Amino acid sequence: MGRKVRWGVLATGGIAASFTRDLLEMPDDAEVVAVASRSAASAEAFAERFGIPRAYGTWAELAADDGVDVVYVATPHAAHRAAAGLCLEAGRAVLCEKPFTLNAREAGELVDLARERGTFLMEAMWMYCNPVVRRLVEVVRDGAIGEVRTIHADFGLVASDDPGHRLRDPAAGGGALLDLGVYPVAFAQLLLGEPDRVRADALLSPEGVDLNTGVLLGWDSGAQALLSCSVVADTPLTATVTGTAGRIELPRGFFFPEGFTLYREGRDPEEFRVEGRRDSYQYEAAEVMRCLRAGEKESPLVPLDGTLAVMRTLDAVRDRIGVRYPGE
Ligand SMILES: NC(=O)c1ccc[n+]([C@@H]2O[C@H](COP(=O)([O-])OP(=O)(O)OC[C@H]3O[C@@H](n4cnc5c(N)ncnc54)[C@H](OP(=O)(O)O)[C@@H]3O)[C@@H](O)[C@H]2O)c1
């Protein structure tokens, strides 16, 4: 694929707008050719706002558009399975927002579908594509801090307490864990893989979604991850990785870091910085387009097996804290 990659955007909410804005800043590589919404009016308004040529009032029309190479799915999580499935069935490559789906069963169905069809599929886990995070993984794998023993990470903010907001709505897959906790869990699993044990505790809302959640992951190696997420507390948003020979600290906003500090016994702290915009979705968009041009069906940076393993951990946490979504 020597030409520009032709993107379709499915849904017209907050992240759909942010991602589209970033795609439009990659004019040599990408073009946004279509948008779909549950309503024609929203699709048209979004198309007009961003200068997108085709606007559809149904997802099926976007899925059927042969002029689209890849669809970016940006609905609330409870709709990811249906939206991404429709596009994969139609042979469209898919980049699907995090959390990938409501649960591991749905995630497995999408992964099976993509693999059977030989169609590209990736979770929009933009943290894994961030150059600072990629550098951190290299530094850890090179043994700079020895064997990883402990990971601390948190993602908490004070969100709307309107029971109609998607974060409070069980039907939308609400709660802190799936929306925010997916980052600390994915961060820990990036470095240590799937845990052998999962423990958790949470404060639940009257509607039954988790508001304030603590997770302890354990590995047979003796490594542990102590993670938290919240929609009722503005937590530091930091991460620390401690090994047998040193420690790495990521400052506030660990999931889109501007850099990190490496501490080693007997040495001055070492600062790692990478040039470029830290809050950019262009790193994940670039990875999708690299894969499409190379004919790769899965991204080695955001592997589907890793996505499935994270979804299994999120299921296990929800099992421990008693959160069930409608239909489960
Ligand atoms: N990567 C990131 O940094 C990041 C940041 C924020 C959110 N996210 C993820 O992106 C997804 C969307 O989040 P958001 O903040 O953009 O939400 P949002 O602002 O509420 O927008 C979601 C959009 O999805 C559509 N939608 C709403 N309810 C729906 C339903 N019941 N079924 C199907 N579609 C529905 C709507 O578009 P239409 O009216 O056009 O159908 C809506 O505008 C979530 O999974 C979230 O976790 C990722």
Side-chain angles (χ1 to χ4, degrees):
M1 195 188 289
R3 56 172 168 73
K4 292 182 192 182
V5 171
R6 301 167 303 180
W7 288 80
V9 176
L10 192 154
T12 58
I15 193 65
S18 303
F19 186 78
T20 299
R21 215 173 281 123
D22 277 1
L23 282 179
L24 294 175
E25 287 178 9
M26 308 172 87
D28 295 339
D29 258 0
E31 55 187 330
V32 184
V33 297
V35 57
S37 166
R38 292 163 305 160
S39 91
S42 288
E44 279 156 21
F46 193 91
E48 191 171 333
R49 181 173 164 203
F50 292 107
I52 299 170
R54 298 191 289 284
Y56 299 121
T58 64
W59 301 345
E61 288 169 277
L62 176 64
D65 185 336
D66 286 329
V68 169
D69 297 312
V70 54
V71 173
Y72 168 61
V73 171
T75 67
H77 354 310
H80 288 177
R81 163 71 184 90
L86 193 67
C87 296
L88 291 170
E89 295 273 8
R92 234 41 79 201
V94 171
L95 172 68
C96 181
E97 259 309 333
K98 46 54 62 178
F100 193 57
T101 47
L102 276 192
N103 53 44
R105 177 185 54 75
E106 289 185 351
E109 289 167 2
L110 286 181
V111 170
D112 287 350
L113 191 56
R115 286 179 175 162
E116 279 160 25
R117 304 256 163 163
T119 306
F120 177 84
L121 174 64
M122 181 178 125
E123 180 187 13
M125 181 42 73
W126 60 306
M127 172 175 72
Y128 282 8
C129 302
N130 178 287
V132 174
V133 172
R134 293 177 66 175
R135 184 82 187 98
L136 180 148
V137 171
E138 283 170 10
V139 166
V140 171
R141 296 223 165 113
D142 286 350
I145 59 169
E147 207 174 306
V148 174
R149 288 286 193 234
T150 309
I151 294 176
H152 292 90
D154 71 276
F155 194 160
L157 47 80
V158 179
S160 165
D161 61 2
D162 173 359
H165 190 276
R166 71 171 178 82
L167 283 174
R168 292 279 179 144
D169 180 5
L177 180 72
L178 260 56
D179 206 85
L180 308 176
V182 64
Y183 287 103
V185 168
F187 181 74
Q189 294 194 192
L190 178 65
L191 296 171
L192 289 170
E194 190 166 4
D196 298 300
R197 285 169 301 283
V198 176
R199 297 184 177 89
D201 186 63
L203 167 70
L204 303 189
S205 74
E207 299 81 24
V209 303
D210 66 300
L211 300 176
N212 198 41
T213 306
V215 175
L216 173 60
L217 305 180
W219 284 262
D220 287 345
S221 66
Q224 294 178 340
L226 196 52
L227 314 173
S228 79
C229 56
S230 183
V231 290
V232 292
D234 178 13
T235 67
L237 313 185
T238 57
T240 306
V241 184
T242 307
T244 48
R247 182 174 85 249
I248 291 173
E249 292 185 1
L250 284 160
R252 184 167 177 80
F254 79 87
F255 46 94
F256 62 118
E258 59 196 3
F260 61 84
T261 310
L262 170 62
Y263 296 89
R264 291 192 273 195
E265 191 65 36
R267 301 199 198 190
D268 287 337
E270 295 159 73
E271 298 288 340
F272 287 78
R273 294 274 176 276
V274 179
E275 291 300 312
R277 229 181 85 199
R278 62 188 289 245
D279 64 344
S280 178
Y281 297 106
Q282 290 174 0
Y283 304 118
E284 68 178 356
E287 172 62 3
V288 170
M289 294 192 283
R290 187 199 65 71
C291 290
L292 292 180
R293 292 194 168 107
E296 293 174 21
K297 303 301 178 198
E298 300 188 20
S299 161
L301 269 189
V302 193
L304 289 172
D305 286 338
T307 291
L308 291 172
V310 166
M311 289 310 308
R312 284 192 291 269
T313 300
L314 298 178
D315 276 7
V317 172
R318 287 202 297 119
D319 178 62
R320 309 298 184 267
I321 63 180
V323 171
R324 289 271 172 288
Y325 294 119
E328 286 189 322

